[in-house]
């Protein structure tokens, strides 16, 4: 069971080549048009201020939301402080990892993981994992932008939160693939779209709006099979006006492609 040579659109950025290969292996014809890039914050004073407060014992726990973000945070701090000082300070507080990727980074640093948030590792699972914990003063490594729902949820739990930005999202400098994706989308050339983060739909619709084609792009998405990698991504899709048809059993890219191909095949064999 596969995509049966259907044209499949993806906006994956960091793992674009891998996504294209996964789509091909599952019988699809891919167009991968990256819709965002991660831009590290230059002269990240917020990261340095966080480190100073961490050394002073002001935090009970640090929440790491992404592996990339954890590494960028460490690099920003390493511009001023020896890396072992940062790692040693982390060993003195509780560490919370939103899924396996930040946990893998902490293991490299030989920093114990106090709380490993289970799949699908959205902000909801983070809140549930911390609900009965005694830590009250939290530092939260952000990614792209602050997660308002997470911060408000921690506040309702009686916790104080300090957000640490480490990078921001923006459109790629070269938008030629996005332009091709928009043209092909409006021409009805795609049967499937795969989303791996909600930011992709926001950025692509922003790009389409710049060409006066936002409404037509939305209509095109809602006329095809759209698969979302997980609940947070689906929430962003619905907020943008796109109804996802499928979420995989686990929020992993390979599983998303494989199961979406199976579901697409089932729907088209009826």
């Amino acid at each position: 069971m596969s995509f049966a040579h259907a044209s499949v659109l993806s906006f994956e950025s960091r793992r674009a080549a891998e996504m294209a290969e996964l789509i091909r292996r599952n019988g699809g014809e891919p167009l991968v048009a990256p819709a965002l890039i991660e831009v590290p914050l230059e002269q990240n004073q917020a990261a340095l201020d966080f480190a100073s407060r961490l050394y002073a014992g002001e935090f009970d726990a640090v929440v790491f939301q992404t592996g990339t973000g954890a590494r960028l945070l460490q690099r920003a701090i390493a511009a001023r402080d020896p890396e072992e000082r940062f790692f040693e300070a982390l060993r003195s507080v509780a560490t919370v990892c939103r899924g396996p990727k930040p946990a893998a980074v902490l293991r490299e640093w030989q920093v114990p993981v106090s709380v490993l948030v289970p799949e699908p590792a959205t902000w909801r699972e983070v809140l549930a994992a911390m609900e009965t914990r005694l830590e009250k003063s939290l530092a939260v490594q952000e990614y792209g932008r602050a997660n308002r729902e997470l911060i408000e949820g921690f506040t309702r739990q009686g916790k104080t939160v300090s957000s640490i930005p480490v990078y921001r999202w923006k459109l790629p400098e070269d938008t030629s693939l996005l332009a091709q994706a928009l043209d092909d989308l409006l021409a009805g050339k795609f049967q499937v779209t795969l989303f791996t983060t909600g930011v992709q739909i926001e950025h692509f619709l922003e790009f389409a709006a710049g060409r006066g084609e936002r409404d037509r792009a939305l209509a095109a998405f809602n006329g095809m099979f759209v698969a979302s990698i997980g609940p947070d991504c689906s929430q962003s899709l619905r907020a943008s006006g796109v109804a996802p048809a499928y979420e995989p059993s686990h929020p992993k890219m390979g599983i998303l492609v494989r199961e979406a191909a199976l579901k697409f095949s089932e729907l088209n064999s009826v």
Side-chain angles (χ1 to χ4, degrees):
M1 308 290 274
S2 73
F3 287 123
H5 303 291
S7 293
V8 181
L9 175 61
S10 166
F11 300 104
E12 175 62 27
S13 301
R14 192 186 309 154
R15 300 167 67 187
E18 182 181 351
M19 172 61 89
E21 181 59 26
L22 285 168
I23 292 170
R24 289 190 195 96
R25 279 190 219 157
N26 285 275
E29 302 294 335
L31 175 61
V32 181
L36 62 95
I37 57 174
E38 296 164 347
V39 182
L41 299 178
E42 296 180 2
Q43 299 178 336
N44 192 341
Q45 188 60 45
L48 298 178
D49 291 345
F50 153 71
S52 296
R53 295 178 64 192
L54 179 68
Y55 304 151
E58 295 186 24
F59 297 113
D60 303 319
V62 180
V63 180
F64 292 95
Q65 298 204 73
T66 63
T68 298
R71 292 189 191 281
L72 289 174
L73 177 61
Q74 185 271 324
R75 289 173 194 163
I77 294 169
R80 185 192 68 184
D81 304 330
E83 65 177 22
E84 186 54 36
R85 184 183 185 191
F86 176 52
F87 299 159
E88 187 61 33
L90 288 176
R91 296 181 190 117
S92 68
V93 299
T95 56
V96 183
C97 291
R98 191 183 66 95
K101 292 182 180 179
V105 174
L106 263 64
R107 283 194 290 272
E108 289 179 19
W109 298 345
Q110 298 183 355
V111 173
V113 176
S114 307
V115 179
L116 179 59
V117 177
E119 290 184 357
T122 71
W123 59 269
R124 299 170 185 83
E125 284 74 39
V126 176
L127 289 178
M130 292 298 290
E131 188 169 11
T132 60
R133 300 280 304 190
L134 300 180
E135 293 86 6
K136 293 297 184 183
S137 178
L138 311 182
V140 177
Q141 169 251 309
E142 297 291 355
Y143 59 105
R145 61 189 171 212
N147 188 318
R148 178 175 52 82
E149 292 94 343
L150 179 63
I151 293 171
E152 290 177 353
F154 279 142
T155 301
R156 287 193 296 272
Q157 291 179 357
K159 298 173 170 60
T160 59
V161 181
S162 297
S163 296
I164 316 158
V166 290
Y167 59 83
R168 60 188 175 88
W169 289 309
K170 61 179 289 188
L171 281 169
E173 298 296 332
D174 181 358
T175 58
S176 58
L177 282 173
L178 285 178
Q180 180 184 344
L182 179 60
D183 290 344
D184 289 354
L185 178 71
L186 299 179
K189 293 184 179 180
F190 298 113
Q191 291 79 52
V192 179
T193 304
L194 307 175
F195 287 97
T196 52
T197 173
V199 184
Q200 291 165 352
I201 185 63
E202 297 168 14
H203 279 205
F204 184 70
L205 290 178
E206 174 189 333
F207 177 77
R211 296 187 167 213
E213 299 288 10
R214 188 181 191 279
D215 290 344
R216 288 183 65 205
L218 276 174
F221 283 129
N222 285 312
M224 70 172 69
F225 180 83
V226 173
S228 160
I229 199 165
D232 279 354
C233 183
S234 295
Q235 182 180 0
S236 295
L237 287 168
R238 293 188 186 99
S240 296
V242 176
Y246 187 73
E247 285 182 15
S249 57
H250 299 282
K252 308 290 185 185
M253 196 169 78
I255 297 174
L256 167 68
V257 178
R258 184 170 65 251
E259 292 187 2
L262 177 62
K263 185 64 175 179
F264 178 77
S265 178
E266 289 175 353
L267 291 173
N268 284 274
S269 64
V270 175

